[in-house]
């Protein structure tokens, strides 16, 4: 507002309530003044901040000043501006524009007490895993178990083959070892370690399946019944957990898969003795050939041929005949799938000596049971 007297406008008589009302007692009577300076003491004045009518271009603050901006209350959502008279603090004439969405943050100094984060690069940094770096660089995140895990798998397979030729109770000893290594290796393969409760639950399910098989005369329905009960038990235990929903779902899937693999390995106990001998010997030979330093297609083909040959030889020794070649090839296919699973996502040395040893034999158990029932 200006310091000129109110003059009105067209169509309005210029009525001003502040000039027409009688002055209070003790105040001088207001009179019209020709001189604006003379009317200064009795003219209503407005003092306060105003807003410029011209649009000013926003000025972006430096990056180091916007790396971290603490919250300023309700006005922070509008770029730091507050209405005067509502928050007790008047806003500056020019409110700062919000920080850019992709302002580079400073890297904190590393003095040994706090780990620092390196800048984002195409090749990755020290905070990502080897598998993630391999995918970014276009490499395969697969490291296959070496000769030593393959030798342990072959040794365990030969133990299963020899024990099956003796009898079902002798077969229980190497089978329990296989189930224990399977339960521990699967959890470690999924990055969950230590997971004692899940490992113990999966191993207990495998032992229950073995006992149920021996008690029921090696009826395969005992495997399905134990598997159903253990899936329900794992679900109940995860529902009682106080972890986040995502973690509970991840733990549930890992527990169910580990228990299923350990329980399915009991299929060796439900299978015919000759079928177990042929299938376990074929898996042992296939894994050893797969560990040879050959190209992947040639290695897979050679391992399948070697498994078929070992199956035919074992079939001739057990009375299964030439059908042993088919059983050996089928068991080798499942074993190579388990071998591939144990090689995924840059596994550690512990994974190679647990999941890399047990998964080929555990995955071959259903094929040994089904082909054995069909061929024997």
């Amino acid at each position: 507002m200006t310091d000129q007297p109110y003059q009105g406008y067209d169509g309005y008589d210029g009525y001003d309530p502040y000039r027409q009302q009688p002055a209070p007692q003790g105040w001088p009577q207001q009179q019209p003044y020709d001189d604006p300076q003379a009317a200064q003491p009795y003219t209503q004045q407005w003092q306060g901040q105003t807003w410029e009518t011209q649009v000013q271009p926003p000025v972006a603050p430096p990056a180091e000043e916007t790396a971290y901006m603490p919250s300023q209350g309700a006005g922070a959502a509008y770029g730091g501006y507050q209405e005067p008279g509502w928050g007790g603090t008047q806003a500056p004439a020019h409110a700062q524009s919000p920080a850019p969405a992709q302002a580079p943050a400073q890297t904190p100094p590393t003095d040994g007490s706090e780990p620092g984060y390196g800048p984002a690069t195409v090749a990755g940094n020290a905070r990502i895993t080897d598998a993630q770096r391999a995918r970014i660089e276009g490499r395969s995140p697969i490291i296959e178990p070496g000769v030593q895990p393959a030798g342990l798998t072959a040794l365990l397979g030969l133990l299963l083959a020899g024990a099956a030729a003796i009898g079902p109770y002798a077969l229980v000893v190497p089978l329990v070892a296989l189930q224990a290594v399977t339960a521990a290796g699967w959890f470690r393969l999924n990055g969950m370690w230590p997971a004692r409760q899940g490992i113990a639950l999966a191993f207990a399910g495998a032992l229950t399946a073995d006992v149920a098989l021996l008690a029921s005369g090696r009826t395969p329905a005992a495997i399905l019944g134990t598997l159903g009960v253990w899936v329900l038990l794992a679900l109940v235990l995860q529902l009682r957990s106080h972890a986040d929903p995502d973690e509970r779902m991840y733990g549930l899937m890992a527990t169910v898969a580990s228990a299923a693999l350990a329980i399915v390995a009991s299929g060796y106990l439900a299978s015919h003795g000759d079928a177990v001998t042929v299938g376990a010997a074929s898996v042992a030979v296939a894994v050893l050939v797969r560990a040879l330093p050959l190209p992947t297609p040639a290695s897979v083909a050679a391992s399948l041929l070697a498994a078929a040959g070992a199956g035919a030889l074992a079939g001739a020794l057990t009375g299964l005949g030439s059908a042993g070649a088919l059983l050996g090839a089928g068991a080798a296919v499942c074993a190579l799938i388990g071998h591939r699973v144990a090689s995924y996502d840059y596994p550690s040395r512990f994974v190679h000596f647990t999941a890399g040893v047990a998964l080929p034999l555990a995955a071959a158990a259903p094929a040994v049971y089904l082909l054995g029932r069909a061929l024997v």
Side-chain angles (χ1 to χ4, degrees):
M1 299 180 64
T2 63
D3 54 359
Q4 297 294 334
Y6 187 81
Q7 300 296 334
Y9 58 91
D10 294 341
Y12 189 75
D13 58 355
Y15 172 74
D16 187 358
Y18 295 100
R19 285 195 299 111
Q20 298 298 331
Q21 291 180 356
Q25 187 176 2
W27 285 14
Q29 184 69 26
Q30 293 186 7
Q31 299 293 335
Y33 295 94
D34 296 334
D35 187 5
Q37 298 297 330
Q40 183 73 18
Y42 306 104
T43 304
Q44 183 182 6
Q45 301 292 328
W46 177 272
Q47 295 181 357
Q49 287 186 335
T50 60
W51 289 268
E52 295 185 2
T53 57
Q54 296 181 355
V55 178
Q56 298 293 334
V59 179
E64 55 269 17
E65 296 181 2
T66 60
Y68 174 73
M69 296 183 66
S71 176
Q72 300 293 337
Y78 299 95
Y81 168 75
Q82 287 184 340
E83 285 285 348
W86 288 93
T89 303
Q90 291 184 353
H94 299 283
Q96 291 185 352
S97 60
Q102 298 180 354
Q106 288 184 340
T107 303
T110 57
D111 55 355
S113 59
E114 294 182 0
Y117 290 87
T121 59
V122 176
N125 52 48
R127 288 289 176 175
I128 65 176
T129 63
D130 293 337
Q132 292 172 340
R133 182 181 294 109
R135 292 189 184 94
I136 294 175
E137 295 175 356
R139 296 183 286 110
S140 174
I142 300 295
I143 294 181
E144 298 176 352
V147 178
Q148 293 180 352
L152 292 177
T153 303
L155 177 60
L156 188 55
L158 293 177
L159 288 176
L160 287 172
I166 297 175
Y169 289 96
L171 181 60
V172 171
V173 177
L175 179 60
V176 168
L178 171 64
Q179 291 167 335
V181 177
T182 301
W186 183 261
F187 274 93
R188 189 62 185 93
L189 181 63
N190 285 267
M192 303 179 66
W193 186 266
R196 300 181 182 90
Q197 182 180 3
I199 294 174
L201 181 64
F203 184 58
L207 294 180
T208 303
D210 295 341
V211 173
L213 281 171
L214 293 176
S216 63
R218 300 165 64 184
T219 303
I223 298 178
L224 299 178
T226 306
L227 184 59
V229 171
W230 246 251
V231 169
L232 181 60
L233 182 60
L235 179 60
V236 171
L237 291 178
Q238 289 299 324
L239 289 177
R240 292 172 56 88
S241 175
H242 298 286
D244 295 335
D246 294 339
E247 295 181 1
R248 284 188 292 177
M249 180 60 67
Y250 190 65
L252 174 64
M253 299 307 296
T255 303
V256 170
S258 178
L261 287 172
I263 293 173
V264 165
S266 300
Y268 287 112
L269 193 58
S271 303
H272 194 274
D274 293 343
V276 174
T277 301
V278 173
S282 301
V283 171
V285 173
V287 173
L288 283 177
V289 176
R290 184 68 179 85
L292 297 178
L294 296 174
T296 300
S299 178
V300 171
S303 61
L304 291 178
L305 291 176
L313 179 60
L317 296 176
T318 58
L320 195 59
S322 59
L326 179 60
L327 193 152
V333 170
C334 296
L336 292 181
I337 294 175
H339 182 273
R340 177 72 173 186
V341 172
S343 309
Y344 183 70
D345 206 10
Y346 275 91
S348 64
R349 183 178 178 86
F350 185 87
V351 172
H352 281 165
F353 279 93
T354 53
V357 172
L359 284 184
L361 287 168
V368 170
Y369 173 76
L370 294 175
L371 292 176
R373 287 182 59 89
L375 299 175
V376 175

